[in-house]
Amino acid sequence: MTHKIILDTDPGIDDAMAIFFAFQAKEIDVLGLTTVYGNVPVEMAAQNALSLVELAGLDIPVCKGVGRPWVGPESTYAHFVHGDDGFGNIDHPPSSRTLDPRSSAQFIIDKAREFPGEITIVAVGPLGNLALALRLEPELPKLIKAVNIMGGAAFVPGNVTPVAEANIWNDAHAADIVFSADWTINMFGLDVTYDVPFAPQFIDTLAEVNPILGGFVAKASQFYMEFYSQGKDEQVCFFHDAYPIAHLMHPELFEMTNGNMRIGTGELDKGQTMFAPANTTMSPLWLESQKSNVATQVDHEALTELFVSTYAL
Ligand code: RIB
Ligand code: CA
């Protein structure tokens, strides 16, 4: 079975690894990359996405999306994690490709109308494009098969604040709009993506089995790995964004639990994914909210093998 996806992304190094993973997977049909600010400004995210499509030798539309959060000031971005260029300061040459003229939100709407009920939106950055698309096309949930999100932290601490993960924290009001819509959401938060540390050997293997795409990931990940290895005895990093794609290909690798989700938008709870598994609360504040499926476990070994075998294709 082939899965049509739109990858909404803020590349970013783990975004790049996930994007190449999706490009390599025979069962994934990437209709387009829709970019958003987050790790880097949206202009850089868009140019980086063009570079990734060009390096892969593909002809896939790339759109530029929202550059600021729904509410509040411009982001300060995550150059300390992904480098000044979003690719670990590797001086990758600028792309010669050009952007699709549509905004990310308009591209999502156009494709949803073209392929009603067939598309899974894989969102691995802040959720402003999806929120805007929902406001422009209120019928969007009926036209989209599912939304697979890398974001949130249901039962574990956040990575930006003690309670919030970066993608949700970066645009909490947009996330609230997205999680309040009546569509199927599968959330892959730090509960699973922080649970599988990747060592340098894994990155070297990606480069061995795929010198071009894996080689790029290996080069770009050096800066990224330094960030994640601070204070640790061994070099390690986390490829958060590939999880929602892996679930599309092999859902059996994941344990999911269903429940009601609320998103914090206040000063202290900004970006908190406040999840109540089924039958754990009587609060109407949760019972009257939309439900999400949240990943709680992943088969580490099988996931790692899936990444390597897919890069090796
Ligand atoms: O918290 C990790 C997420 O934030 C990943 O998507 C990473 O690329 C950043 O966007
Ligand atoms: Ca990302």
Side-chain angles (χ1 to χ4, degrees):
M1 174 183 186
T2 299
H3 303 279
K4 284 184 173 64
I5 74 169
I6 293 171
L7 234 171
D8 194 71
T9 177
D10 59 337
I13 291 162
D14 62 319
D15 299 71
M17 185 270 185
I19 288 166
F20 289 153
F21 176 53
F23 286 168
Q24 286 286 113
K26 300 306 179 201
E27 59 266 59
I28 301 284
D29 177 9
V30 182
L31 300 181
L33 301 183
T34 51
T35 60
V36 62
Y37 80 93
N39 289 322
V40 298
V42 68
E43 294 77 11
M44 183 178 288
Q47 290 305 312
N48 284 355
L50 287 172
S51 294
L52 298 174
V53 171
E54 186 170 23
L55 187 64
L58 299 174
D59 185 15
I60 289 174
V62 174
C63 299
K64 182 161 75 82
V66 300
R68 295 182 64 123
W70 208 257
V71 171
E74 182 178 4
S75 169
T76 52
Y77 311 112
H79 291 295
F80 60 98
V81 181
H82 296 269
D84 295 339
D85 61 358
F87 283 157
N89 300 329
I90 59 171
D91 295 325
H92 188 75
S95 171
S96 59
R97 301 286 184 87
T98 53
L99 291 170
D100 184 292
R102 289 169 287 187
S103 70
S104 293
Q106 191 57 55
F107 181 85
I108 289 168
I109 293 165
D110 290 351
K111 288 299 172 186
R113 288 170 175 162
E114 183 180 352
F115 301 106
E118 296 182 44
I119 296 172
T120 298
I121 299 175
V122 176
V124 297
L127 294 169
N129 292 329
L130 279 70
L132 183 56
L134 282 166
R135 287 295 184 263
L136 291 170
E137 172 49 90
E139 297 302 303
L140 188 63
K142 296 188 179 80
L143 300 172
I144 289 293
K145 184 176 182 182
V147 184
N148 280 21
I149 293 171
M150 189 283 132
F155 303 106
V156 298
N159 59 359
V160 175
T161 76
V163 297
E165 176 278 332
N167 286 337
I168 310 301
W169 181 87
N170 256 312
D171 204 339
H173 289 82
D176 190 24
I177 291 168
V178 170
F179 277 87
S180 300
D182 185 12
W183 48 11
T184 298
I185 287 183
N186 300 305
M187 186 185 97
F188 303 85
L190 300 178
D191 309 85
V192 288
T193 71
Y194 252 165
D195 201 34
V196 186
F198 289 98
Q201 292 82 353
F202 168 77
I203 296 169
D204 294 344
T205 302
L206 292 189
E208 282 162 26
V209 302
N210 191 321
I212 296 176
L213 305 185
F216 177 92
V217 171
K219 196 174 166 189
S221 295
Q222 297 315 304
F223 183 93
Y224 185 67
M225 187 161 265
E226 288 302 317
F227 167 78
Y228 274 110
S229 305
Q230 294 171 68
K232 291 184 170 62
D233 296 335
E234 295 176 347
Q235 291 265 299
V236 66
C237 71
F238 299 89
F239 290 109
H240 307 275
D241 290 342
Y243 288 60
I245 299 163
H247 179 264
L248 264 178
M249 298 161 70
H250 287 281
E252 72 280 3
L253 302 187
F254 294 83
E255 274 186 29
M256 308 294 288
T257 186
N258 183 264
N260 295 90
M261 182 72 81
R262 295 301 302 269
I263 305 295
T265 56
E267 182 188 17
L268 281 181
D269 66 355
K270 174 184 170 184
Q272 185 174 6
T273 46
M274 297 178 251
F275 180 63
N279 307 314
T280 60
T281 184
M282 295 295 288
S283 167
L285 293 175
W286 269 261
L287 293 178
E288 290 167 10
S289 71
Q290 287 295 335
K291 294 196 170 189
S292 296
N293 301 307
V294 170
T296 54
Q297 298 283 338
V298 63
D299 182 328
H300 297 197
E301 289 71 30
L303 182 74
T304 303
E305 175 48 36
L306 176 64
F307 290 157
V308 172
S309 61
T310 304
Y311 264 74
L313 291 173

